Amino acid sequence: MVTSCGQISSPVLVLLAFLFLHGALSRAANDTIAKGQPLYGGQSLVSKRGKFELGFFQPDNSSQQWYVGIRYNQISTSDIVWVANRDAPITDLESSQLSISRDGNMVLLDHRNSPIWSTNVTNMASSAVPMVGVILDTGNLVLAEASNTSAVLWQSFDHFSDTWLPGGKLGRNKLTGEVDRLVAWRGYKDPSPSMFSLELDPRGTSQYLLNWNSSEQYWTSGNWSTADHIFTDVPEMTAANPSHGFPYTFGYVDAGNESYFTYHVEDDAVVAHFRMDVAGQVKFLMWVEGAGEWQQFWSQPKAQCDVYALCGPSGVCTENALPFCSCPRGFRRRRPLEWAQGDYTSGCARDTGLRCGARDVNGGEDRFYAMANVRLPIDAQSVVAASAGDCERACIDSCFCTAYSYNGSCSVWHGDLINLRDTSGIGTATGGGGGTISIRLAASEFSSAGDRSRRLVVGLVVAGFVVAATIIAVVSIVVIRRRSPRACKASRRVAEGSLVAFTYRDLQLATKNFSEKLGAGAFGSVFKGSLTDDAAQPVAVKKLEGRLQGEKQFRAEVSTIGTVQHVNLIRLLGFCSEGTRRLLVYEHMPNGSLDRHLFGATSSHLSWEARYQVALGIARGLDYLHGKCRDCIIHCDIKPENILLDDALAPKVADFGLAKLMGRDSSRVLTTMRGTAGYLAPEWVAGTAVTAKADVFSYGMVLFEVVSGRRNARQRPDGTVDFFPSTAASLLVGGGDLMGAVDGRIRGDADMAEVERACKIACWCVQDDERARPSMGTVVQVLEGLLEISVPPIPTSFKMLANPSKKYVEFFTCLPST
Ligand SMILES: *[C@@H]1O[C@H](CO)[C@@H](O)[C@H](O)[C@H]1NC(C)=O
Ligand SMILES: *[C@@H]1O[C@H](CO)[C@@H](O)[C@H](O)[C@H]1NC(C)=O
Ligand SMILES: *[C@@H]1O[C@H](CO)[C@@H](O)[C@H](O)[C@H]1NC(C)=O
Ligand SMILES: *[C@@H]1O[C@H](CO)[C@@H](O)[C@H](O)[C@H]1NC(C)=O
Ligand SMILES: *[C@@H]1O[C@H](CO)[C@@H](O)[C@H](O)[C@H]1NC(C)=O
Ligand SMILES: *[C@@H]1O[C@H](CO)[C@@H](O)[C@H](O)[C@H]1NC(C)=O
Ligand SMILES: *[C@@H]1O[C@H](CO)[C@@H](O)[C@H](O)[C@H]1NC(C)=O
Ligand SMILES: *[C@@H]1O[C@H](CO)[C@@H](O)[C@H](O)[C@H]1NC(C)=O
């Protein structure tokens, strides 16, 4: 007997086999997990008559990811019908186990003995009653009392994965409103939940829905018809009635506490189930042992390409093609590995980014690739255009436009193309034919290879210059910073970066015991002061109020704000943190806030030129805040009151970064605290996550006020609302004279081209869909005249103002209700 290092000699094998057998034999029953008898990694349980197996499995054996699941045991397929830890795979098989915990729940423990998944039953009768987990011949895993396995506390049939086995109910609990969902796997080897699901209508009707992301419905079964014993939009069920010899019984039950559909297979030898497929179709499948495959009896939606967003952003769906998803010209698969697994949700990415109006030496203006015979994507916007050329122009003029289609009327798309479908293989009678879409591509996509290499050289040279310039800039900044004198004497306490930590006493003295109040904002009052050892330097001291952070976190946030330095952002000089007191010391702006200059009764008003520079300065400051400094900071409260003007009337944005200084356990807190009606983006009102685009919206509102020199909303004597942005947008779209929109005090002096540019970009900034709004960087380029933009669509919310629900108007315009 030759034993090399890698092999195990046979006596050891015998011993291992003995231990293994011993372990198996010592179990009470092979279908049960009990206290002290867990299922260890690699082992499995088999239901009494051997139909189903509960065990550990690895759908993708190229990864170290293991799941606990149930699969068929007696047929020649080992399809998995249920997965416990769908989105939390375990990585160490040997030291994981499925066991009954002290409180009676069934838990999956990983190698650190921490629970990965649990049955999570909270109303356990008593932890003294011994519990067991049993895999039944129906494929149902139950948690029940050891002495009476009919007393079930939890069952996998109430928590389907993607497969709905006979005997299970897919329904709605009328008491809690909870619905059961069949959620597809993300990929053929990835059991984590995808966007596609089947569920009973949560609104209470008797129809089943196929949904994408629980929001976009792409198929419905129609209501259950008791008379016909079918769902109204599934007439084929008639043929499957038991009276026609099919081995199934089924029915919809509407009981007091719950409503559900259920079905049974009468013939014990038949193996069948409903499955929510990776590609978003629901299928009824039957196993045909002779053929060794699943036979599909029924599926919906009938057309694969009717599945919502199946091919992801910019993907193209082609019926009957394999694979049915592809990318249009100029695009490539964003995540090829996922695509290979049948998960197309990542969609397609551009090979070359758009130039977006910048007409430079390499490449030139973006161009269009016309794709015929397509079903057009969703979310088209219509634009008034007299010809295909005008339609193309309207698209090219907008940085956010990705495609257009012209058939006598002009449609344009902003952002990703969703549900684009190639219908060339389909006859016109079945909804084929379709339209033509022109997809915007970088000019380089149309040129020959020779051009490309030349452009590469030019690109490298340019890149070299950019790198060099960046290095020089960084070095100079470092040198300048080193040279700049410390703002205050070193006698002050420890400094945080370049910030000075003041004592409360210092600030009391500096502000003459907080005697000269400059104003009050969302976070507290501001006082004028002057640092005693530098009388020439006036400062503004802000006393923070409200729920405050602890010392350590406060210092961390303050030092972040301290690193934000830009000519259009108010400079933080120092802070004080003593006990519960938190104060911030800023540079002082002699000219006060923008609202005073725009709406104040003072005789001094800003000239058009000054206004344009103010608009540009605010945009630059915000652009820096959003991306150019180390951490992206969303201001959350852009309004004229938060824009200060220095002695040369240059704007400086104040109050940024403060939201972070307050105790923030949820964005909801932030929402109620920050933001001012009239400047708030609609997504904020809706309570969804706020991005930098919320600042863009507020900026747009402020820009309108800069142009008009009045508050955006005014109540007319008859009670209706005079909403300036709406007026300006209508003038823009209708081609009216914008000069009438400019503040009467400066009307004669305004540069018409600048007024138009300002109004256009302001209107783009206040689009309802945040994706349609430009970034602050783009706003800067537009105001600088480097980028041309098209006429914006009128935001839907403006249209609503014309026929308003009162609540909306109150909110949007900040007018008091009457
Ligand atoms: C239960 O029985 C099956 C086959 O009968 C076997 O493969 C499995 O290892 C057994 N499980 C345990 C935990 O003994
Ligand atoms: C695991 O991978 C090997 C190739 O590496 C393959 O032959 C085998 O069939 C795979 N097993 C399963 C269960 O996928
Ligand atoms: C148990 O349920 C609670 C609340 O319902 C949930 O927060 C927790 O994540 C669940 N635990 C496991 C292991 O599923
Ligand atoms: C077992 O539990 C079921 C369900 O709770 C109950 O109906 C039945 O009476 C119990 N049987 C015994 C013997 O306790
Ligand atoms: C389904 O029934 C509900 C009432 O239960 C009804 O409001 C709805 O219109 C019906 N849907 C269809 C498609 O008939
Ligand atoms: C899915 O829906 C949620 C909430 O409705 C939303 O936040 C999320 O962005 C949606 N996902 C996608 C990919 O659109
Ligand atoms: C509804 O549920 C409650 C408690 O879960 C139960 O007592 C009652 O019998 C149920 N009613 C029906 C009609 O099923
Ligand atoms: C052009 O397309 C639009 C949008 O798809 C459609 O509503 C309209 O009927 C089409 N017009 C013609 C003339 O085909």
Side-chain angles (χ1 to χ4, degrees), residues 331-354:
F331 290 78
R332 65 188 136 75
R333 300 163 175 211
R334 196 184 295 273
R335 303 202 191 113
L337 286 178
E338 289 178 7
W339 273 58
Q341 299 273 310
D343 173 13
Y344 307 103
T345 40
S346 62
C348 305
R350 282 182 188 281
D351 287 327
T352 313
L354 295 178

Side-chain angles (χ1 to χ4, degrees), residues 28-77:
N30 195 306
D31 65 351
T32 305
I33 295 171
K35 213 168 214 166
Q37 282 183 357
L39 182 72
Y40 291 110
Q43 291 184 324
S44 61
L45 296 179
V46 175
S47 62
K48 239 187 200 85
R49 286 189 294 131
K51 298 219 157 208
F52 288 93
E53 180 188 24
L54 170 74
F56 292 79
F57 71 97
Q58 187 187 29
D60 179 0
N61 68 7
S62 66
S63 75
Q64 276 303 318
Q65 301 201 322
W66 297 82
Y67 298 85
V68 165
I70 298 171
R71 56 179 158 203
Y72 292 106
N73 187 47
Q74 285 179 336
I75 55 177
S76 56
T77 176

Side-chain angles (χ1 to χ4, degrees), residues 145 147-152:
E145 292 175 10
S147 55
N148 176 8
T149 49
S150 308
V152 171

Side-chain angles (χ1 to χ4, degrees), residues 195 212-215 688:
M195 290 287 186
W212 178 85
N213 196 20
S214 297
S215 53
T688 52

